[in-house]
Amino acid sequence: MAARRGICSLLSRSLLSSSCSCSSSCSSGYGFGSFLQSRGRVSRLHGIGRRFSSSALAEEELVTPPVQISYTQNLINGQFVDAASGKTFPTYDPRTGEVIAHVAEGEAEDINRAVSAARKAFDEGKWPKMTAYERSRILLRFADLVEKHSAELAALETWNNGKPYEQSARTEIPIFVRLFHYYAGWADKIHGLTVPADGKYHVQVLHEPIGVAGQIIPWNFPLLMFAWKVGPALACGNTIVLKTAEQTPLTALYVAKLFHEAGLPPGVLNVVSGYGPTAGAALASHMDVDKLAFTGSTNTGKVVLELASKSNLKPVTLELGGKSPFIVCEDADVDKAVELAHFALFFNQGQCCCAGSRTFVHERIYDEFVEKSRARAQRRVVGDPFKKGVEQGPQIDSEQFAKVLRYIKSGIESDATLECGGDRLGSKGYFVQPTVFSNVKDDMLIAKDEIFGPVQSILKFKDIDEVIQRANATRYGLAAGVFTTNLDTANTITRGLRTGTVWVNCFDVFDAAIPFGGYKMSGMGREKGIYSLQNYLQVKAVVTPLKNPAWL
């Protein structure tokens, strides 16, 4: 589950206030929260796209993406090369299920070549030996190139992933650039300590790059997950082998090429596309990879961790699944709470690891909330993500599409009340109706499992102690949302929740400096902020005797 120019522009607008104190940045749409506000206005003003009309969607003429596919080979040691086997695999347009391009299918031999290049670049190359300031300048040049090519990148991201173009262009690309500005700023500020010891010794604590970092990124936010992984690793002086998700390989290859245009030495960043059981497993188990970072499902995270432990015990950071509670207290402004809860769940087609997928609503306002949530979902604009005003595009692929529909069926069969939606939209592509269930119980699959789709489950609660206990009764602990006007209530709930992030009267605020990660089976380690640097550094103590020191 994930995205992030100044701090103000990246903060989501508090829905407790009727106006935004940073209106210039919010109108530019640079944060997920401000994106929520602008999208709500766009959908009502323009009405472009389709609202719950399968026949209309089927008749819709799709926009031809304004971008060419330029890079489909693996990038190893600064060169685009075919897979060692010569094999390719198709990558698809989720609007239609049709093939966009055929991409080099990396396997174990390709991973070996990429790791060898990264190893040589770290052990013998100039990247870790560069001054930190020089590394910083390359990261900044890269960010400038991304801005220059932002229109092509946004189109490519939407074409390969299915997310609304407005989201890609106005929110995710600016946040991507901001993340690299942030890590460029860190590059020359990473330093160790001098430690006083008992006795006549000079003690230095050095922070050194860890070496070759293996990174595996998911398909729901291909560009942003690239930034979350690559930014801190390069700032610390490491080299990288990155495996893309097989569903969305195109933008990572494009931006990796831009990195080399910015002056990144060959072998420092290598990108291999391929499948998890082949390329992913080879990277996770490789004996010459010094550190592994993975974002994806909890089940796959277990496999990655096992492979790492059975090989060379490389340290692993995991950002995994979630089933985040969104708690609406009895003092809530229902209209504002409905809009924020809608965004928390349906954003990015519901394909967010931190989506507010368990909507807990106090019993006193429950019926009103359900009625207004149903009406909001029915107004949601679904259609070609390249068209202005569209809020929701297709799910990523046929597998995820079928999974979402299975969970909807499960909700119906378990006697949850289907308020709206519940089926596909159109006859081609992977569009799902925005779906709302009420009268959901904690033991239903739709309340327990990570659906990763546009399915809102609304549960009723009576008091704060009860909702904290129920919110925590899950194997996940990634994020949560709390909607209340009472400061004491907010403090009580936020301290009680066992999650890595709690948003109060906002949701999906992903500033570059805010750490993100989970408790329990939602992962280990943190992305973004100062904490992400720790993932890519070794700590070395150097102790030297002192003779006749003037002081200790």
Side-chain angles (χ1 to χ4, degrees):
M1 152 175 315
R4 324 337 141 190
R5 275 167 176 145
I7 295 299
C8 187
S9 67
L10 296 171
L11 292 176
S12 109
R13 179 186 324 197
S14 169
L15 292 184
L16 289 179
S17 60
S18 59
S19 63
C20 179
S21 62
C22 50
S23 57
S24 62
S25 57
C26 282
S27 65
S28 299
Y30 293 143
F32 282 167
S34 57
F35 181 76
L36 153 67
Q37 300 294 319
S38 64
R39 292 312 297 271
R41 290 195 298 271
V42 167
S43 64
R44 287 190 287 275
L45 289 173
H46 295 278
I48 297 173
R50 300 294 179 256
R51 300 172 181 172
F52 269 73
S53 175
S54 299
S55 59
L57 185 65
E59 296 167 2
E60 190 174 36
E61 182 179 349
L62 298 178
V63 172
T64 300
V67 62
Q68 298 293 319
I69 308 299
S70 301
Y71 310 109
T72 59
Q73 297 168 293
N74 293 319
L75 182 63
I76 299 176
N77 203 28
Q79 300 293 322
F80 281 106
V81 295
D82 291 333
S85 66
K87 291 194 294 185
T88 62
F89 67 92
T91 187
Y92 299 95
D93 181 348
R95 302 177 302 167
T96 61
E98 297 172 355
V99 175
I100 297 174
H102 288 85
V103 179
E105 183 180 340
E107 296 178 321
E109 178 56 29
D110 303 282
I111 292 294
N112 287 337
R113 294 176 180 181
V115 172
S116 178
R119 180 87 271 157
K120 185 174 182 180
F122 185 79
D123 292 344
E124 304 174 25
K126 59 184 179 179
W127 181 251
K129 299 179 181 66
M130 256 183 209
T131 67
Y133 177 62
E134 289 177 290
R135 289 201 299 268
S136 174
R137 286 168 60 84
I138 290 174
L139 294 175
L140 291 171
R141 285 198 295 269
F142 167 69
D144 290 344
L145 284 170
V146 170
E147 283 193 304
K148 180 180 177 181
H149 293 272
S150 59
E152 304 101 287
L153 280 166
L156 198 57
E157 187 84 333
T158 290
W159 193 7
N160 204 187
N161 174 273
K163 65 181 61 193
Y165 177 79
E166 288 180 307
Q167 176 184 325
S168 297
R170 297 175 57 202
T171 303
E172 295 190 21
I173 297 294
I175 291 172
F176 181 96
V177 171
R178 174 66 178 94
L179 279 160
F180 276 98
H181 285 165
Y182 177 83
Y183 286 113
W186 264 116
D188 60 355
K189 298 169 187 68
I190 297 168
H191 55 78
L193 301 168
T194 301
V195 178
D198 293 338
K200 297 178 180 180
Y201 300 98
H202 176 68
V203 183
Q204 302 174 74
V205 178
L206 306 179
H207 293 172
E208 301 181 341
I210 201 165
V212 176
Q215 302 179 328
I216 302 173
I217 60 174
W219 48 259
N220 57 335
F221 293 97
L223 279 173
L224 291 180
M225 295 303 99
F226 178 100
W228 283 22
K229 298 288 189 291
V230 171
L234 292 184
C236 292
N238 299 281
T239 60
I240 297 169
V241 177
L242 181 138
K243 192 200 87 68
T244 66
E246 60 268 26
Q247 296 91 340
T248 54
L250 299 178
T251 49
L253 293 169
Y254 194 116
V255 294
K257 179 65 168 66
L258 295 181
F259 239 133
H260 286 83
E261 289 184 24
L264 194 71
V268 174
L269 173 62
N270 307 273
V271 180
V272 177
S273 303
Y275 295 100
T278 50
L283 185 59
S285 58
H286 204 288
M287 294 294 291
D288 216 14
V289 170
D290 299 306
K291 185 268 182 300
L292 192 67
F294 170 81
T295 295
S297 72
T298 295
N299 287 337
T300 305
K302 292 179 181 179
V303 175
V304 166
L305 188 59
E306 182 179 10
L307 291 172
S309 67
K310 286 183 175 180
S311 52
N312 59 346
L313 278 176
K314 61 180 72 64
V316 179
T317 50
L318 302 171
E319 198 264 281
L320 305 177
K323 192 68 178 175
S324 300
F326 184 94
I327 300 169
V328 182
C329 299
E330 61 180 313
D331 61 352
D333 179 312
V334 174
D335 291 332
K336 293 177 181 178
V338 164
E339 187 65 29
L340 187 59
H342 179 87
F343 168 73
L345 185 283
F346 289 100
F347 176 69
N348 205 54
Q349 295 66 250
Q351 297 171 154
C352 296
C353 56
C354 58
S357 52
R358 291 182 295 153
T359 308
F360 289 97
V361 181
H362 193 275
E363 60 183 4
R364 292 184 182 176
I365 59 172
Y366 186 84
D367 291 342
E368 180 185 2
F369 186 95
V370 169
E371 179 183 352
K372 290 181 175 180
S373 294
R374 178 180 64 247
R376 177 63 182 93
Q378 289 173 329
R379 294 196 307 271
R380 187 166 183 81
V381 184
V382 184
D384 182 353
F386 279 100
K387 293 191 175 181
K388 185 177 181 181
V390 166
E391 295 178 280
Q392 181 176 314
Q395 308 310 119
I396 185 65
D397 61 13
S398 59
E399 181 179 351
Q400 188 64 24
F401 173 76
K403 174 187 172 185
V404 173
L405 293 180
R406 284 196 304 270
Y407 274 110
I408 291 173
K409 181 180 179 183
S410 168
I412 294 170
E413 292 175 347
S414 61
D415 292 328
T417 302
L418 179 64
E419 296 287 343
C420 65
D423 206 345
R424 74 177 298 162
L425 266 175
S427 57
K428 65 179 179 179
Y430 310 122
F431 296 88
V432 174
Q433 293 176 349
T435 299
V436 176
F437 282 103
S438 64
N439 297 314
V440 177
K441 307 302 180 186
D442 293 356
D443 60 351
M444 295 178 180
L445 287 181
I446 58 173
K448 295 193 301 181
D449 290 1
E450 185 178 37
I451 300 174
F452 229 60
V455 181
Q456 184 177 33
S457 298
I458 309 179
L459 304 92
K460 186 185 295 185
F461 76 93
K462 293 182 179 181
D463 58 55
I464 291 175
D465 290 340
E466 172 208 335
V467 77
I468 291 174
Q469 186 276 324
R470 291 170 62 192
N472 286 335
T474 172
R475 64 186 181 273
Y476 298 114
L478 188 56
V482 179
F483 198 95
T484 179
T485 59
N486 189 300
L487 181 60
D488 292 333
T489 298
N491 285 333
T492 297
I493 296 177
T494 55
R495 296 300 177 97
L497 292 174
R498 299 274 301 156
T499 64
T501 299
V502 184
W503 288 294
V504 180
N505 300 325
C506 59
F507 208 86
D508 280 350
V509 179
F510 287 109
D511 187 276
I514 300 174
F516 183 79
Y519 287 24
K520 298 185 280 187
M521 293 180 72
S522 287
M524 57 182 69
R526 292 294 182 267
E527 309 275 357
K528 300 191 290 101
I530 190 173
Y531 296 93
S532 64
L533 302 172
Q534 297 172 5
N535 302 331
Y536 297 98
L537 293 169
Q538 292 275 31
V539 177
K540 177 188 289 182
V542 180
V543 183
T544 308
L546 292 172
K547 292 185 178 181
N548 301 316
W551 50 267
L552 288 175

